[in-house]
Amino acid sequence: MSEAGTAPIFVVGSMRSGSTLLRLILDSHPDIASPGETGFMGGLRAVKEVPGWKSGRGWYERVGWTEPELDVRLHDFYAGIFERFARQEGKSRWAEKTPFHTEHVQEMAQVFPEALFVGIVRHPGGVATSLCRRFHYGFDEAVSYWGATNTRMVEGARAVGDRFALLRYEDLVRHGEAVLHELVQFLGAPWSPSMLNHHEVQPEKGAPRAVEGSTVTTDPIDAGRADHWWSDISIEDRRSLDRVAELAACFGYSVEEPIVRGLPRSRGDQRWLRRGGKLELPPTPATAVAHDNAVLMAQGDPVELARRLLKVEQALARARSRRAVRFADAVRTVQHGRSLHDLRKAYAMVRGADGGATASR
């Protein structure tokens, strides 16, 4: 196989962008193994910058190590973990998908210089609606999340250039075979029709019925999901989308309608994929302030940070106390679980009791 055909693959994108669907499709390829989300970059970053300690950055230099030397060790350690998983699956190559890894594209490219990256993006209205329904976000909050996450993804994509390819969720579900043909070409992998039948491949290999994000593995690719969310949002919600209108336009989206226009392309681009070096950001992304505030908050006054965290925890507690939320959590527990303990835990959630304490009785 070519060098590109053996390289690790990192899938990145916001929550509810279709990244789990893409992972299941890749995992259905006979050569590629892609586990559930690992979040391993949080652990890798913690090795390089010890959390909770003002002297944690660059600690390895005090014992005579350079960052490139440490990167080689980290590469070998984490690649070894994923390579063993791939071998156990009978595959020759591995892929990994975790949404918050959009923050780490450049660092992943540094530690894994052979890796290829696949980004997936979805209309901000579709993402925001799904976040509100699945994870109880406020619509404004979800729109801000979409903007900040995709801004960071494009920044990382531009930095790694041709090692990054972007596709859109709407194109994947409407033109699956054409999009996937281009994708495997980018990855240096042979075409396999099994990618179009992930809903059959996954159950056959023993995958759970529901995986991350409550994605059902037996659901086939469904073009109807591309814009069904439009009828669920209010006029006020549509106004909220105006804040990310310029960024959305960079991906071919209009916030005034669910219609998806052609992906902006430069000469030499593929039909459905766009290389990272050719992606663009608006001159002043509307989400830049929101992203910077998150960084400043983490580095700010500890008392103020504690106050804000308490406020968030109280808001989460109020949300979790609602019966509709408890019922949704119970359904997800049943979907993911397979034991009597899981059923008892789900029953406790619906009743409003402490799931763990009640289920253990």
Side-chain angles (χ1 to χ4, degrees), residues 182-356:
E182 287 194 5
L183 179 59
V184 296
Q185 181 181 349
F186 166 72
L187 297 175
W191 167 252
S192 173
S194 62
M195 301 173 73
L196 296 171
N197 299 310
H198 75 278
H199 58 291
E200 298 174 354
V201 175
Q202 292 298 319
E204 288 175 359
K205 63 180 291 188
R209 180 178 180 277
V211 290
E212 58 266 29
S214 296
T215 300
V216 178
T217 56
T218 55
D219 284 349
I221 297 173
D222 181 5
R225 296 184 179 184
D227 56 12
H228 70 91
W229 53 269
W230 183 249
S231 60
D232 295 334
I233 65 174
S234 66
I235 294 176
E236 184 179 353
D237 291 340
R238 295 178 188 181
R239 292 196 189 103
S240 295
L241 292 172
D242 289 339
R243 294 187 288 112
V244 294
E246 291 186 351
L247 179 59
C250 292
F251 299 119
Y253 297 127
S254 168
V255 299
E256 297 177 357
E257 56 189 356
I259 296 173
V260 180
R261 296 181 174 85
L263 184 65
R265 301 196 309 276
S266 300
R267 185 175 180 179
D269 276 337
Q270 293 175 290
R271 174 68 179 87
W272 302 108
L273 270 61
R274 182 81 182 274
R275 292 299 180 95
K278 296 177 180 178
L279 294 174
E280 297 181 358
L281 287 170
T284 309
T287 53
V289 174
H291 174 70
D292 290 344
N293 282 343
V295 176
L296 291 172
M297 176 180 167
Q299 299 174 348
D301 177 66
V303 175
E304 175 63 14
L305 176 59
R307 185 187 68 79
R308 294 190 184 189
L309 287 174
L310 178 61
K311 186 175 180 180
V312 170
E313 288 176 352
Q314 291 171 340
L316 285 173
R318 288 194 299 271
R320 289 293 178 193
S321 68
R322 300 206 309 265
R323 186 173 182 83
V325 175
R326 296 201 308 270
F327 183 78
D329 288 342
V331 170
R332 281 193 289 272
T333 298
V334 172
Q335 284 180 325
H336 289 264
R338 298 184 176 183
S339 68
L340 181 60
H341 172 83
D342 295 316
L343 293 176
R344 287 174 175 170
K345 184 176 180 181
Y347 178 67
M349 287 178 179
V350 174
R351 292 187 60 194
D354 181 89

Side-chain angles (χ1 to χ4, degrees), residues 43-252:
L44 188 151
R45 172 64 67 83
V47 172
K48 298 181 76 169
E49 298 182 17
V50 181
W53 183 33
K54 66 178 181 180
S55 302
R57 178 175 295 183
W59 64 269
Y60 45 85
E61 295 174 346
R62 297 193 283 276
V63 289
W65 282 66
T66 65
E67 186 173 8
E69 288 176 321
L70 185 61
D71 284 344
V72 170
R73 289 296 184 93
L74 290 170
H75 171 280
D76 292 346
F77 175 74
Y78 284 105
I81 290 175
F82 289 110
E83 286 168 2
R84 192 183 83 166
F85 170 77
R87 288 194 300 270
Q88 291 172 337
E89 294 287 304
K91 309 286 186 77
S92 59
R93 188 176 184 185
W94 57 272
E96 198 282 339
K97 184 274 295 187
T98 300
F100 74 78
H101 284 175
T102 51
E103 296 281 334
H104 302 292
V105 170
Q106 294 181 60
E107 189 164 13
M108 286 192 289
Q110 177 180 315
V111 176
F112 298 90
E114 76 280 27
L116 296 174
F117 297 83
V118 180
I120 184 167
V121 66
R122 185 183 181 186
H123 194 293
V127 170
T129 302
S130 187
L131 284 172
C132 292
R133 184 174 63 251
R134 290 285 187 179
F135 300 126
H136 321 300
Y137 273 60
F139 198 87
D140 282 347
E141 179 189 13
V143 169
S144 294
Y145 164 78
W146 182 92
T149 301
N150 284 290
T151 295
R152 291 291 290 162
M153 182 177 70
V154 173
E155 290 171 348
R158 289 172 58 85
V160 303
D162 284 347
R163 294 169 60 187
F164 191 106
L166 177 77
L167 61 88
R168 297 184 302 192
Y169 170 77
E170 292 83 2
D171 295 333
L172 178 62
V173 298
R174 288 171 173 157
H175 311 282
E177 185 168 357
V179 173
L180 292 174
H181 268 286
E182 287 194 5
L183 179 59
V184 296
Q185 181 181 349
F186 166 72
L187 297 175
W191 167 252
S192 173
S194 62
M195 301 173 73
L196 296 171
N197 299 310
H198 75 278
H199 58 291
E200 298 174 354
V201 175
Q202 292 298 319
E204 288 175 359
K205 63 180 291 188
R209 180 178 180 277
V211 290
E212 58 266 29
S214 296
T215 300
V216 178
T217 56
T218 55
D219 284 349
I221 297 173
D222 181 5
R225 296 184 179 184
D227 56 12
H228 70 91
W229 53 269
W230 183 249
S231 60
D232 295 334
I233 65 174
S234 66
I235 294 176
E236 184 179 353
D237 291 340
R238 295 178 188 181
R239 292 196 189 103
S240 295
L241 292 172
D242 289 339
R243 294 187 288 112
V244 294
E246 291 186 351
L247 179 59
C250 292
F251 299 119

